[in-house]
Structure formats: C-alpha cells, structure tokens
Amino acid sequence: MRLAGRIRALTLTLPIVALSLASALAQPQGAAYVREHYDRFDYQIPMRDGVRLYTVVYAPKEKSASYPFLMMRTPYSVRPYEKDQMRGSLGPTSGYAEEKFIFVYQDVRGRYMSEGDFEWMRPYKPTKSGLDTDESTDTWDTIEFLLKTVPNHNGRVGVYGTSYPGHYAAQTLTHPHPALRAVSPQAPMADNWLGDDMHHNGAFFLPHAMNFIAGFGKKREGPTTDYGRGVFQHGTPDGYRFFLEMGALPNANRLYLKDQIRIWNEWMEHGDYDAYWQAQNVPQNLKQVGKVAVLTVGGWWDAEDLFGPLSIYRSIESNNPGATNHLVMGPWYHGSWNFGPGSNLHDIVWTTNTGEDFREKMQMPFFRHFLKDAGTFELSDAMMFDVGADKWFEFDSWPPKAALSKNLYLRAGELLSLTPPAASTRNLFAEYMSDPNRPVPCSAEISVGMPRSYMIEDQRFVWNRPDVLSFETPVLEEDTTLAGPLTATLFISTTGTDADFIVKLIDVYPNDAPNNSPRTSVRMGGYQMLIRGEPIRAKYRTSWSNPTPLTPNRVEKVSFVLPDILHTFRKGHKIMVQVHSSWFPLIDRNPHRFLNIYQAKDSDFQKATHKVHFDAANPSHLAVGVLPSGSSQR
C-alpha cells in the first residue's frame, strides 16, 4: 500500500542527553564565542513564597536590536556556576548563539543552587491562594522578573527542554504567562505510571528507575553545585544477573539504596495508579494554552519518554480548539534529534538526515517566527517520519483520519492474519510456562541499565525461546503502512492469579536483505526489527487504580493501548506479533500471585502456565490503523 497523505520529502536518555550536552559545553572554542558576544548575569530570582531560584542569563552584547528570551528550566544543573565561566553553547542546539536570543537557564526549585524543596513531577494546582506554588507559578514569577530586570528584550519568551526539562516546558502551558509565545516540550514526561520512564501500564521499569534515582534522588541539605556519586555501584556489567540476584523489590532498599532515597520510598508506597500518580498527570491540565505556539517533539524509539509527547499533543489538540499545535515524531532515541545527522539507529539505516532536518528546518524556524516575527513557519500539524518508506510525511491531524481500522488476528499454526478465526473453531490456544527465575531478556546487550536499543533491536535472540509466542503473516505482496495507536486484545488463562503480558509488533526482513547495518558483523537476512513493544500487568486489566486478581484457569480478556507508530512494512517483508510474560530486567518480575509486588518476598515467586486463546469465542488480536493505497490526507 502507498502511504496516504500530503507528502513532502524534505530536502531542506536522560543520561545520554546530559552527556551529549556536557560534551558540547566543554568545547573551548564555543565558550570563547559566547564570551565574545554575550554578557553573563547571575540572579537569585524570588518566587511568590520567598524561595529563590538560581538563574543564569546570557544577553547579547550587541544592543542595536531587542531580543526575545529563550529559557530552559532544568533539574540537571545550569553549570558552570563560576561567574567568570561561560557555557560552550547556547540554546537547544548549535546556531542559536549566532541567531541571538537572551538565553535563560534556571535550576528548578530544590535542585542544585536553587532554594526550596524538590518534588517529583510537582503537580499543577488548578486552584491557588496566597503563597501556593507549582511549576506554572515558578515559571510565571521568573518571567515577570526577567521582563522587569533584563534590558533590551522584545517582550516575548520561548521555553524548550528535552526529557525532564521537556516536562517543565510542558508545565508552562498549564497556566501560561502572557509573554509566553513559543514552547517546545521535547521527550516530555506526561505520566510516570501510565507510560513514561518508571511504569508502563502498571509494570515497573526496574533498572531505569532504580539506577536513575540512586543518584538523582539523593538527599540535599541545601543548595549545592554537585550531588556526587549515586548511593550504590552494581559491581558487574551484567544487569540481568544483578537484578535477578537482588530478588524481590524490597531487597533494593535493604541491599543497595539503604533507605536513603525518599522518592524511591514514595514510589514503593504507591504501586497502583492512586492520587499520588494521578495528580502528576500533565495532559489533564493543558486546557489554557491559548495563543502560545507549541512544537512537541518525540522519538519513535525513545526508551524513556515516548508516551509523553503523543499524549501531550493529543491533550492540547482536544482541549484547545484553534491552538497552534504541532507534533514532530522522528526515528530517534531519547533526545538524539539534538545531535548527529539522524540517518541510522542501531542496525537500521536510511538515507534522510532526520536530525538535521528537524534542527534546521523545523525547530529553528519555529522559534525565529514566533519569537522574532522572522521568516515563515509552514509545518503541518503532524510531521512524522516513516523509516520503512524513508520519508517525512505531513498530516493535518494525528492519528491520520484516512487510516482504516483493521485487526491482525493470532491464528493457529503461528499465523497472523486479517481474517478472524472461523466460527466453528473451539478451544484453540498456545501455551507456555513463565518462570520468574529465568525471565525473557529485554535485550541481547549486556548492560546494567535500560539499553536504548531495546525498542528497535533484532528479536531473533528470543524468537526460539519456548516462553515466547510468535505469529507472522505470509510474505507481503505490497507495501503496507500502519499508522496511529495499536490496541492489543488478548484472551488469556493462567494457573496463577496475576501475570504480565508483553505484546510486540515486529518487521521481519527478507532472507536476502542486504547487510547494511553499521555494525558490520550483523547479518540482516531474516532480521526481526522491533517496531513497538509494550507490557501490561494483568491485575490492572479493568482499572488502573483498583487491581483485581485473575481466576486460575478461567479465560479472561486483557486489552491495552500501545504507543503510536508510523511504519511501512515493505513488499517482501512479514509482519510478526510476539507475546510473552516477562521482559527482564526492563520490567520487574511478576510473582504470578495477586499481591502488592512492591512488598513481595522472594518466596512469593512461582512458575505459571499461561495460555493465549485464538478461537471464534476468544479472538486475540492487535488492532491497527492501515493507510489505504492512493488515499489523500488533507
């Protein structure tokens, strides 16, 4: 099928991003340029409750024109703190120092050199009185101070940020200051229980959460320029073995965190989607965007924050009719659009320089136009890259209206088909035993963390495991483009009272595919490229807030939404769906007992036999959107 839509082929990890930016800041020639063309000003900006936030401003020395503010609020430090030192680069990426803005960097409340107490994803307060604060008031008070204090500005403010700074950018939109004109939340956290970073559909992302918070969550006695090392070291490069030997989740505190991380303890006290997590949901509060132009950015293979950009874009679109609201989704890891050409990922290569396209033809024109009235900005609402087609495509809305709803049914004989099971079929299923002591690995890579490649990695390393079910189509006779969200519906039964189910959508390459991986030892014939994979904890199948046990050996329906895709499965390829019940150590192990896993004991973990049913009464399937050949999208 040919991709629908108005087509324009453009010719125009928290830690990963931090390291890349730190490398840029360390370039002496960059700092020399900044020193020559900018003056540095350091402020302790008072908030309405008296707390002062440490803020560094870089203002152009050239005074022949007035300039807009371009601000990033961050929990990751605005270093260098020495007042005679300059950053090696200014703005989101290269070129902004030359373009000239008044650059503002702020340590958020309770982090590094700012006063106050830090709160994880501090909730927005719709009703405030007196000295009540949240991220919107801290941003508002900062803008008020800048407008009154910093000379030679044009009265306009832009905000940007990637990852946690992207979350703060999105928070500015909950109650935007009148001077706020352009905001770009990039890889923003929207909800850390439903789908970003720490949880996906109730499943806990163990190494990412524990490794990150062991450093980020350290107690601070007062303003500081350095938090030091994390509270523990793994002592091995093998995260699979490390987390398996750690055992049940309470052992994390006993063996490694030593009760030193307040945020970790909060997470362990709130296993379900209760008021603690619900209050942190950002999209529910994006109802006052008004005239602020928004450019939300995400990566199709962002292992940390794929849920965030998609849900934030949708919320703004539905709650703010007429808003200037744009979404860009590219073939990127977490934040990788900020550097490099963007023409390959792990083993997959394409010809379009997607990173350069975004930085030069989307992001810079966005800020120039809305903050300076310079140039034009003519992006469609949704700018989406399709790796299978190797092109950017534009849509007036996302998901695309032209997409046709289809079901990919799991069928006997490991078949995946658009045709449902025959009405006469009865008692058809595939079964496997899930052993918490030998869980299915999430990656072939040896790592103590969450390998950023896991979302696009070749799945042949688990394809032949007896606890992994695989269903695939015959060889495709024409290109087939899937677009929009995916909904997995499984009819399952199990010998336990709880279970996890992971559903993967995979692009199976032809046996004669060329060996074009950047890793020259990889053979691409038969490659199983992961397009999307997502877990659900079955006890949350009817409610995120009120879990219920499974009844042993009773067939039950488990249905959940996977994040969106835009991918063309080329002629000669196959489409595969895999199902299994562990994904370790990416997500913590399910003991197959209905209990609070955050309080589980090592003795609670047991083997369980799971069945996935696919007969007429129990048609397990993956619902997809298919773009019809030759259709138009405007």
Side-chain angles (χ1 to χ4, degrees):
M1 298 179 186
R2 186 169 296 175
L3 185 62
R6 180 169 76 88
I7 300 173
R8 182 193 299 176
L10 295 184
T11 55
L12 312 173
T13 11
L14 301 171
I16 296 167
V17 174
L19 287 173
S20 300
L21 296 179
S23 176
L25 297 179
Q27 297 176 5
Q29 64 272 26
Y33 180 90
V34 173
R35 185 182 303 279
E36 181 180 355
H37 293 90
Y38 285 83
D39 292 319
R40 170 178 173 155
F41 303 94
D42 293 49
Y43 301 103
Q44 286 283 8
I45 299 179
M47 301 294 103
R48 61 192 62 186
D49 62 349
V51 169
R52 299 181 303 167
L53 303 188
Y54 184 80
T55 308
V56 182
V57 174
Y58 295 84
K61 292 182 177 182
E62 174 59 54
K63 307 302 183 191
S64 61
S66 58
Y67 306 101
F69 294 99
L70 191 54
M71 177 166 63
M72 182 179 73
R73 305 183 67 241
T74 179
Y76 298 132
S77 169
V78 301
R79 62 173 62 93
Y81 290 102
E82 299 81 5
K83 295 182 180 181
D84 62 342
Q85 299 295 313
M86 307 293 271
R87 293 176 69 92
S89 65
L90 296 174
T93 58
S94 62
Y96 283 79
E98 292 81 358
E99 176 66 28
K100 289 190 172 57
F101 296 85
I102 302 172
F103 298 97
V104 181
Y105 297 91
Q106 183 176 80
D107 286 335
V108 297
R109 182 179 291 252
R111 293 293 294 175
Y112 286 91
M113 290 299 290
S114 284
E115 298 173 351
D117 296 322
F118 178 79
E119 185 175 352
W120 182 262
M121 289 185 71
R122 186 185 305 273
Y124 172 68
K125 298 176 182 177
T127 303
K128 302 180 185 68
S129 61
L131 303 181
D132 286 347
T133 63
D134 56 23
E135 301 304 340
S136 72
T137 66
D138 282 357
T139 306
W140 185 293
D141 294 348
T142 298
I143 292 174
E144 281 287 293
F145 178 92
L146 294 171
L147 293 174
K148 294 175 182 177
T149 307
V150 179
N152 217 49
H153 64 75
N154 70 358
R156 298 184 183 186
V157 179
V159 177
Y160 70 96
T162 299
S163 195
Y164 217 137
H167 164 77
Y168 291 116
Q171 286 274 33
T172 68
L173 298 168
T174 56
H175 187 202
H177 189 284
L180 192 63
R181 298 297 182 86
V183 174
S184 183
Q186 303 183 12
M189 298 184 296
D191 191 305
N192 260 195
W193 198 93
L194 291 177
D196 285 318
D197 284 297
M198 308 310 169
H199 301 80
H200 289 221
N201 300 321
F204 186 51
F205 272 43
L206 174 58
H208 182 54
M210 183 173 165
N211 295 351
F212 173 73
I213 211 64
F216 185 89
K218 289 178 64 177
K219 184 178 180 180
R220 188 190 76 157
E221 299 299 336
T224 182
T225 61
D226 187 5
Y227 282 77
R229 299 179 68 186
V231 300
F232 79 94
Q233 302 298 313
H234 299 85
T236 175
D238 189 344
Y240 186 99
R241 189 76 178 246
F242 173 85
F243 288 103
L244 192 63
E245 292 179 349
M246 183 183 80
L249 277 177
N251 295 335
N253 241 337
R254 181 176 64 84
L255 296 174
Y256 300 108
L257 300 179
K258 306 296 184 182
D259 208 31
Q260 297 180 54
I261 308 298
R262 174 183 57 84
I263 300 172
W264 174 270
N265 292 341
E266 289 178 4
W267 295 345
M268 294 299 102
E269 293 168 2
H270 298 279
D272 305 326
Y273 193 55
D274 58 13
Y276 172 83
W277 294 108
Q278 292 171 22
Q280 296 176 18
N281 176 280
V282 177
Q284 66 185 334
N285 296 310
L286 297 176
K287 301 175 182 179
Q288 306 178 64
V289 172
K291 296 182 179 180
V292 182
V294 184
L295 180 69
T296 304
V297 183
W300 287 130
W301 290 284
D302 183 343
E304 298 173 44
D305 298 300
L306 170 60
F307 176 89
L310 293 166
S311 59
I312 283 172
Y313 166 80
R314 283 199 181 100
S315 176
I316 296 173
E317 196 74 359
S318 62
N319 291 315
N320 303 269
T324 302
N325 184 34
H326 298 273
L327 174 66
V328 178
M329 296 294 298
W332 302 313
Y333 291 137
H334 189 65
S336 66
W337 50 89
N338 288 311
F339 46 86
S343 57
N344 67 81
L345 209 60
H346 196 53
D347 292 322
I348 310 303
V349 297
W350 51 93
T351 62
T352 308
N353 290 337
T354 62
E356 294 174 1
D357 285 345
F358 167 71
R359 295 190 297 274
E360 298 169 11
K361 307 305 178 183
M362 302 177 206
Q363 180 174 246
M364 180 65 86
F366 173 77
F367 285 122
R368 291 186 76 244
H369 179 71
F370 290 106
L371 296 181
K372 292 186 168 186
D373 287 331
T376 59
F377 185 74
E378 299 179 344
L379 219 60
S380 291
D381 278 14
M383 195 75 181
M384 322 296 272
F385 191 79
D386 179 342
V387 163
D390 195 357
K391 289 181 182 178
W392 285 104
F393 296 99
E394 297 184 57
F395 299 94
D396 278 348
S397 62
W398 186 264
K401 296 174 183 176
L404 304 176
S405 297
K406 302 285 186 181
N407 291 334
L408 292 170
Y409 291 95
L410 312 188
R411 299 287 301 277
E414 300 183 336
L415 177 66
L416 188 66
S417 174
L418 290 171
T419 304
S424 60
T425 55
R426 298 286 188 276
N427 198 33
L428 293 179
F429 60 86
E431 68 178 352
Y432 56 95
M433 184 185 70
S434 181
D435 183 357
N437 291 319
R438 289 295 180 269
V440 177
C442 66
S443 173
E445 180 179 334
I446 300 299
S447 171
V448 295
M450 177 174 64
R452 65 181 186 179
S453 61
Y454 93 85
M455 290 187 71
I456 195 173
E457 191 173 357
D458 186 0
Q459 298 301 297
R460 286 179 292 188
F461 76 102
V462 296
W463 175 73
N464 61 351
R465 283 183 59 117
D467 51 358
V468 175
L469 304 180
S470 297
F471 305 83
E472 64 181 25
T473 66
V475 173
L476 298 176
E477 296 181 357
E478 60 180 355
D479 289 357
T480 301
T481 300
L482 305 187
L486 311 167
T487 300
T489 299
L490 302 179
F491 293 88
I492 60 92
S493 58
T494 178
T495 56
T497 53
D498 190 19
D500 293 342
F501 292 95
I502 293 89
V503 175
K504 299 174 181 173
L505 178 67
I506 297 166
D507 185 344
V508 182
Y509 279 44
N511 290 330
D512 60 353
N515 296 323
N516 58 359
S517 168
R519 302 187 302 158
T520 56
S521 63
V522 175
R523 299 294 176 260
M524 298 298 293
Y527 196 94
Q528 296 178 9
M529 173 189 175
L530 183 59
I531 304 301
R532 186 64 70 238
E534 194 76 353
I536 186 172
R537 191 140 282 172
K539 66 181 180 180
Y540 298 115
R541 66 198 179 281
T542 59
S543 170
W544 301 129
S545 303
N546 299 297
T548 54
L550 296 165
T551 300
N553 301 312
R554 185 174 77 184
V555 178
E556 303 202 41
K557 179 180 177 180
V558 175
S559 186
F560 64 103
V561 177
L562 289 73
D564 301 19
I565 65 167
L566 175 62
H567 186 76
T568 295
F569 295 79
R570 301 304 296 266
K571 177 182 177 180
H573 290 226
K574 299 178 183 179
I575 302 174
M576 175 186 285
V577 169
Q578 284 185 354
V579 180
H580 48 90
S581 289
S582 54
W583 214 11
F584 194 76
L586 182 69
I587 62 174
D588 66 317
R589 298 173 302 148
N590 193 311
H592 300 132
R593 300 177 189 267
F594 179 74
L595 47 75
N596 184 341
I597 297 178
Y598 299 85
Q599 298 176 5
K601 303 183 295 293
D602 289 334
S603 59
D604 288 326
F605 291 80
Q606 62 182 10
K607 298 177 183 179
T609 298
H610 306 314
K611 294 180 180 179
V612 176
H613 300 258
F614 38 77
D615 52 36
N618 305 292
S620 295
H621 62 274
L622 183 67
V624 300
V626 180
L627 288 174
S629 177
S631 65
S632 63
Q633 170 77 31
R634 281 298 290 173

